[in-house]
Amino acid sequence: MTQDKYQTSAEDSLIARYFKPLATDPGALGLVDDAAILASSGDDIVVTTDAVVEGVHYLAADPPDTIARKALRVNLSDLAAKGAVPAGFVLTLALRSKEDSWLRPFADALGEDAKSFGCPLLGGDTVSTPGPQMISITAFGRVPKGRMVGRTGARAGDRILVTGTIGDAALGLDVLTGGAVAGALMSDSAARDLLVSRYRMPQPRNALAQAVREHASAAMDVSDGLAGDLAKLCAASGVSAAVEVASVPLSAAAAGLIARNVVGVETLLAGGDDYEVLCTVPPAQSDGLIAAGRAVGVAVSVIGTIIAGPERPRFLDGQGQELALKRLSYSHF
Amino acid sequence: MTQDKYQTSAEDSLIARYFKPLATDPGALGLVDDAAILASSGDDIVVTTDAVVEGVHYLAADPPDTIARKALRVNLSDLAAKGAVPAGFVLTLALRSKEDSWLRPFADALGEDAKSFGCPLLGGDTVSTPGPQMISITAFGRVPKGRMVGRTGARAGDRILVTGTIGDAALGLDVLTGGAVAGALMSDSAARDLLVSRYRMPQPRNALAQAVREHASAAMDVSDGLAGDLAKLCAASGVSAAVEVASVPLSAAAAGLIARNVVGVETLLAGGDDYEVLCTVPPAQSDGLIAAGRAVGVAVSVIGTIIAGPERPRFLDGQGQELALKRLSYSHF
């Protein structure tokens, strides 16, 4: 992203108008350079990249401000799960048009989130596309040297913890697309709004990053579905897991839909878009992480235990019977 | 990008098959994590991001291997101009389909370039899109602390230097789209091939990065057109420039087309996609940069001088008359 006083192109003008105000970090060089600088600090730099595509990760009718927040927050969520403090991000924006009515709320919301999460815009690229709009963000965080929380450290006996509630976003998408949930909640606008908000605007748990770094043996964020993501973590660590489904934290809205048989629990466990932290913690330290959550107003729940073995994680009902999940997560292909 | 032994999704399978072999750096964590690590080294990290969109930056009929190389090389070119040594890249791939006939040559070529330029894949995201394919790359380089070559250091009296030749890629695009150049070169397949190759497969000047860092007061790569990019550099430095158009290095093919009046010089100066290094160098050091170029087989040409003042750079013909350029560069909007 570059901007100059000659306004040699409409692209430069667009960047100057909407995005230069977000480039508050000295390393962004005021967007006058093609490149940005992450200054040497003795910390490791954690890098994560996630893209959102219109019609795939968000709906064309979603408000531009929530699209902006979701695009950044899915990346902030990765940094939180890695125990990293946000350092900045670069943005690739593939636009069909440059209407102020879309770009203004998009840029304003992106700037608000960048400020509130301490993650300034460092640079980027704006391109035109004849197809669906797409926002690709690469975000950077800092951790003390060698201290990024990986996926490979889970050990038998570790507790499995998850933040917030699971499955709301999948239900919110169902509301927006007029599915069974929309029908069941016809007269409950509060529940509908909550679920839609969870789909459109993740709440990344960056306030817990330091506690995750201090306590977790392994961690990741739940983006594709709790079941599938836990399977990935277990595979990376060479372990298995037993999850008590009754312990998986649900919102009141989600619990009500389950109780009324509107959706099955599989929809929640494999639904995706949760952007909560899933981590494993040695037993003696689970109270520490739960307390850290309480201090910042984030529920942290124990949902199961890591066990030895190569088997896929098992999800157990109240009688200890394994649920057969037909699918574990969302897949793009 | 993540991959696990359960192959819980086709996306994971795709990543494992095509991209895991490219993730040779320890910081890539074998793509088993959502995040990658750029280890602390005492160097500053230079970050650059550029996307290529089907139908905009490359043609749908372009071979997948050259699309891959172009996507990476436009970013490597930025690192070269900043004086940075490549450290790795993350890839966002928005795919319509996952045909092996496209992905295999794409991934193989990307891996070859990653290896030959010393810039390994660190991570990424693969998403589906119903629209044009898009490849967004964020690349990282290292420079000694505080030594990134910016755009703001050009001073009156500095020489303006450029690597390679200018304008070939714009002519190559004209060949591919059946324009006047295609007609004029109907019987000269060697010239056509050279120009098309310059469009499809930039030659980033990473071999000159250290010399740029040692000699240049300001630098950028020429991506949107020499005229517009020089205007940006001058604006960032608060200076003006005088360029002798006759000194702008042209390939024999480009010079022939100019001589035959098939295209005007403006097409070359504002054409874009050159991916050459444009830099300013104190007079006493221009010979040093030229010699460094000679040592690695890259022509480095003096094309003009930085002068004081706020005016837009002037492009002068053999009689010292200013050329009136109707446009300076390619714009996406």
Side-chain angles (χ1 to χ4, degrees):
Chain A
M1 277 189 181
T2 61
Q3 177 268 330
D4 73 82
K5 63 181 174 178
Y6 298 119
Q7 302 297 356
T8 52
S9 79
E11 181 183 357
D12 293 326
S13 167
L14 184 155
I15 291 165
R17 178 182 307 169
Y18 296 107
F19 296 109
K20 194 172 157 63
L22 282 61
T24 55
D25 190 89
L29 304 170
L31 303 186
V32 297
D33 207 300
D34 265 343
I37 302 170
L38 285 166
S40 167
S41 65
D43 290 329
D44 287 344
I45 304 289
V46 176
V47 181
T48 182
T49 189
D50 266 312
V52 296
V53 179
E54 180 186 34
V56 179
H57 303 84
Y58 66 90
L59 304 174
D62 282 343
D65 60 315
T66 68
I67 296 169
R69 291 184 204 273
K70 185 166 189 174
L72 182 57
R73 290 179 182 202
V74 301
N75 284 282
L76 287 165
S77 176
D78 280 318
L79 295 180
K82 302 289 104 184
V85 175
F89 71 102
V90 294
L91 168 73
T92 297
L93 200 52
L95 293 172
R96 252 195 325 275
S97 74
K98 48 163 191 167
E99 283 174 34
D100 184 73
S101 60
W102 195 91
L103 274 168
R104 174 51 57 204
F106 179 90
D108 285 350
L110 193 64
E112 284 173 19
D113 265 12
K115 189 172 178 189
S116 61
F117 287 95
C119 193
L121 179 68
L122 296 176
D125 193 18
T126 307
V127 298
S128 58
T129 175
Q133 305 212 114
M134 171 166 157
I135 303 124
S136 174
I137 283 181
T138 301
F140 310 103
R142 295 182 188 274
V143 290
K145 197 169 178 57
R147 293 294 306 281
M148 190 189 92
V149 183
R151 290 188 184 180
T152 60
R155 295 293 172 261
D158 285 354
R159 299 292 181 258
I160 303 167
L161 281 71
V162 72
T163 60
T165 55
I166 294 295
D168 298 322
L171 300 173
L173 177 58
D174 196 76
V175 168
L176 286 170
T177 54
V181 177
L185 295 179
M186 188 103 53
S187 60
D188 188 348
S189 67
R192 286 201 312 272
D193 289 351
L194 176 134
L195 297 175
V196 166
S197 160
R198 291 280 287 163
Y199 171 74
R200 285 181 169 161
M201 213 161 72
Q203 300 294 330
R205 305 307 183 183
N206 298 79
L208 281 176
Q210 188 184 335
V212 169
R213 204 168 69 225
E214 286 171 0
H215 298 295
S217 53
M220 65 186 294
D221 75 330
V222 183
S223 56
D224 292 337
L226 177 67
D229 287 340
L230 179 60
K232 290 178 185 179
L233 187 150
C234 285
S237 290
V239 296
S240 187
V243 173
E244 293 158 24
V245 171
S247 301
V248 174
L250 305 182
S251 67
L257 291 163
I258 293 279
R260 293 162 58 194
N261 276 318
V262 177
V263 295
V265 70
E266 181 175 342
T267 300
L268 309 186
L269 297 179
D273 264 339
D274 291 308
Y275 300 105
E276 297 291 352
V277 175
L278 170 69
C279 63
T280 61
V281 175
Q285 296 194 52
S286 61
D287 285 349
L289 186 56
I290 291 166
R294 199 176 299 124
V296 296
V298 177
V300 179
S301 305
V302 178
I303 62 169
T305 304
I306 295 295
I307 56 180
E311 297 81 17
R312 185 186 291 225
R314 288 177 300 150
F315 287 80
L316 308 171
D317 67 15
Q319 285 73 48
Q321 296 295 311
E322 184 172 357
L323 293 179
L325 298 177
K326 285 188 290 293
R327 67 185 180 98
L328 300 181
S329 58
Y330 179 79
S331 176
H332 282 291
F333 297 105
Chain B
M1 280 190 177
T2 60
Q3 178 268 330
D4 73 82
K5 63 181 175 181
Y6 297 119
Q7 301 297 355
T8 52
S9 79
E11 182 184 356
D12 293 328
S13 167
L14 184 155
I15 290 164
R17 180 183 304 169
Y18 297 108
F19 296 108
K20 194 171 156 65
L22 281 61
T24 55
D25 190 89
L29 304 171
L31 303 186
V32 298
D33 207 299
D34 265 344
I37 302 170
L38 285 166
S40 166
S41 66
D43 290 329
D44 287 344
I45 304 289
V46 176
V47 182
T48 182
T49 190
D50 266 312
V52 296
V53 179
E54 180 186 33
V56 179
H57 304 82
Y58 65 90
L59 304 173
D62 282 343
D65 60 316
T66 68
I67 296 169
R69 291 184 204 272
K70 185 167 190 174
L72 182 56
R73 289 179 181 202
V74 300
N75 284 282
L76 287 164
S77 177
D78 280 318
L79 296 180
K82 302 291 103 183
V85 176
F89 71 102
V90 294
L91 168 73
T92 296
L93 200 52
L95 292 172
R96 252 195 325 275
S97 75
K98 48 164 192 166
E99 284 173 33
D100 184 74
S101 60
W102 195 91
L103 274 168
R104 173 52 56 204
F106 179 91
D108 285 351
L110 193 64
E112 284 172 20
D113 265 12
K115 189 173 178 188
S116 61
F117 286 96
C119 192
L121 179 68
L122 295 176
D125 193 18
T126 308
V127 298
S128 57
T129 175
Q133 304 212 114
M134 170 165 157
I135 303 124
S136 174
I137 284 181
T138 301
F140 310 103
R142 295 183 189 275
V143 289
K145 196 168 179 58
R147 293 293 308 282
M148 190 188 93
V149 183
R151 290 188 183 179
T152 61
R155 295 294 172 259
D158 285 354
R159 299 292 181 259
I160 304 167
L161 282 71
V162 70
T163 61
T165 55
I166 293 297
D168 298 322
L171 299 173
L173 176 58
D174 196 77
V175 169
L176 287 170
T177 53
V181 177
L185 296 179
M186 189 102 55
S187 59
D188 188 348
S189 68
R192 285 201 313 272
D193 290 351
L194 175 134
L195 298 175
V196 166
S197 159
R198 289 280 288 163
Y199 171 74
R200 285 181 170 161
M201 213 160 73
Q203 300 293 331
R205 305 307 183 184
N206 299 79
L208 280 177
Q210 189 183 335
V212 169
R213 205 168 66 224
E214 284 171 1
H215 299 294
S217 53
M220 65 186 295
D221 74 330
V222 182
S223 56
D224 292 336
L226 177 67
D229 287 340
L230 179 60
K232 290 178 186 179
L233 187 150
C234 285
S237 291
V239 296
S240 187
V243 174
E244 294 157 23
V245 172
S247 302
V248 173
L250 303 182
S251 67
L257 291 163
I258 292 279
R260 292 162 60 195
N261 276 319
V262 176
V263 295
V265 70
E266 181 174 342
T267 300
L268 309 185
L269 297 179
D273 265 339
D274 291 309
Y275 301 104
E276 297 291 351
V277 175
L278 169 69
C279 62
T280 60
V281 175
Q285 297 194 52
S286 63
D287 284 349
L289 186 56
I290 292 166
R294 198 177 299 123
V296 296
V298 177
V300 179
S301 305
V302 178
I303 62 169
T305 304
I306 296 293
I307 56 179
E311 298 81 16
R312 187 187 289 226
R314 287 178 300 150
F315 288 79
L316 307 172
D317 67 15
Q319 285 72 48
Q321 296 294 310
E322 184 172 358
L323 293 179
L325 298 176
K326 286 188 290 291
R327 65 186 181 97
L328 300 180
S329 58
Y330 180 79
S331 176
H332 283 292
F333 298 104

